[in-house]
Amino acid sequence: EPEVTQTPSHQVTQMGQEVILRCVPISNHLYFYWYRQILGQKVEFLVSFYNNEISEKSEIFDDQFSVERPDGSNFTLKIRSTKLEDSAMYFCASRSSPGEGYTFGSGTRLTVV
Amino acid sequence: RKEVEQDPGPFNVPEGATVAFNCTYSNSASQSFFWYRQDCRKEPKLLMSVYSSGNEDGRFTAQLNRASQYISLLIRDSKLSDSATYLCAVGLNTPLVFGKGTRLSVIA
């Protein structure tokens, strides 16, 4: 079964440092997403990406966040200057059409110290 | 009113029991409805889509009630392996909005 792949599985970083989280969506999917889940909280939408541009973003996705699809396979989330409250599980997801459910990657656990 | 609401549980049920969860949504124009299963510290996994006419997949049945704006998930003959958190997700050609989930523990 096709998978969404995320790396790294766990990242520990110091406050103020930049991190890049990487994702390889399913190859024939066109819609890509980043969500995050703070421990014990719900899965929250960050940003959606279609046709090489951001299609929607939440109020969480402020200027310290950016996304890129640098080549035909990778989809990255960059956090420029991490804060303690950015500590969460970050999930990448993809789907082939807007009416379908997502396939999630296994997530990157980000710990900011 | 929150966009998507679920009873957090936990629902503690014996093996073999039937259990049902509901999920209410606030946007009456929503078009896409899903149930996901999430194990502790893992990613959500798509369990099933929810169609207007209702749909069944083995022991799992999903229903949509547009008039009252809720979806439901029924699990029959619960197994120990069904223990997880069940998330509903709702959308309208937009990014899905997830509920906080309902925790299910199936006890031997």
Side-chain angles (χ1 to χ4, degrees):
Chain A
E1 193 173 321
E3 285 185 345
V4 174
T5 306
Q6 287 187 247
T7 55
S9 56
H10 192 185
Q11 172 111 33
V12 181
T13 189
Q14 289 205 323
M15 196 168 53
Q17 295 297 303
E18 174 183 287
V19 294
I20 297 176
L21 310 183
R22 292 183 165 80
C23 170
V24 179
I26 292 172
S27 61
N28 64 343
H29 284 186
L30 303 174
Y31 299 82
F32 313 123
Y33 306 86
W34 284 101
Y35 280 74
R36 78 172 186 191
Q37 187 175 32
I38 294 168
L39 190 63
Q41 302 298 314
K42 68 175 185 176
V43 177
E44 298 177 291
F45 168 68
L46 291 178
V47 65
S48 58
F49 196 85
Y50 170 73
N51 204 24
N52 286 321
E53 60 182 23
I54 290 174
S55 46
E56 197 166 333
K57 57 184 180 179
S58 72
E59 56 192 32
I60 302 170
F61 194 88
D62 60 22
D63 291 345
Q64 69 162 344
F65 290 90
S66 62
V67 289
E68 238 186 4
R69 188 157 161 84
D71 53 44
S73 58
N74 290 287
F75 179 49
T76 62
L77 175 69
K78 183 192 293 186
I79 310 175
R80 254 179 280 283
S81 177
T82 49
K83 305 184 183 75
L84 294 176
E85 55 265 35
D86 293 329
S87 294
M89 195 75 159
Y90 287 81
F91 292 111
C92 173
S94 69
R95 59 182 173 180
S96 58
S97 71
E100 288 190 0
Y102 301 154
T103 300
F104 281 92
S106 55
T108 294
R109 180 169 303 282
L110 177 66
T111 304
V112 182
V113 297
Chain B
R1 182 180 169 185
K2 291 181 185 171
E3 286 189 78
V4 179
E5 285 197 73
Q6 296 183 253
D7 181 343
F11 284 56
N12 299 314
V13 303
E15 268 187 294
T18 295
V19 62
F21 313 130
N22 283 344
C23 165
T24 58
Y25 59 94
S26 60
N27 186 347
S28 60
S30 298
Q31 294 290 337
S32 304
F33 308 91
F34 305 94
W35 282 104
Y36 280 79
R37 171 198 169 119
Q38 186 175 31
D39 293 292
C40 190
R41 294 183 177 244
K42 300 284 190 184
E43 75 274 23
K45 291 194 174 169
L46 182 62
L47 185 63
M48 56 199 303
S49 305
V50 186
Y51 302 120
S52 297
S53 54
N55 46 300
E56 191 173 303
D57 182 3
R59 298 182 293 110
F60 299 84
T61 301
Q63 299 273 0
L64 166 63
N65 185 318
R66 285 196 183 273
S68 301
Q69 292 180 216
Y70 73 86
I71 62 172
S72 63
L73 178 68
L74 182 82
I75 305 176
R76 286 182 298 278
D77 188 23
S78 300
K79 313 286 184 199
L80 294 175
S81 56
D82 293 334
S83 297
T85 298
Y86 290 83
L87 314 179
C88 65
V90 177
L92 169 62
N93 290 331
T94 53
L96 295 178
V97 178
F98 285 81
K100 202 173 172 184
T102 298
R103 195 150 60 89
L104 171 66
S105 279
V106 181
I107 304 158

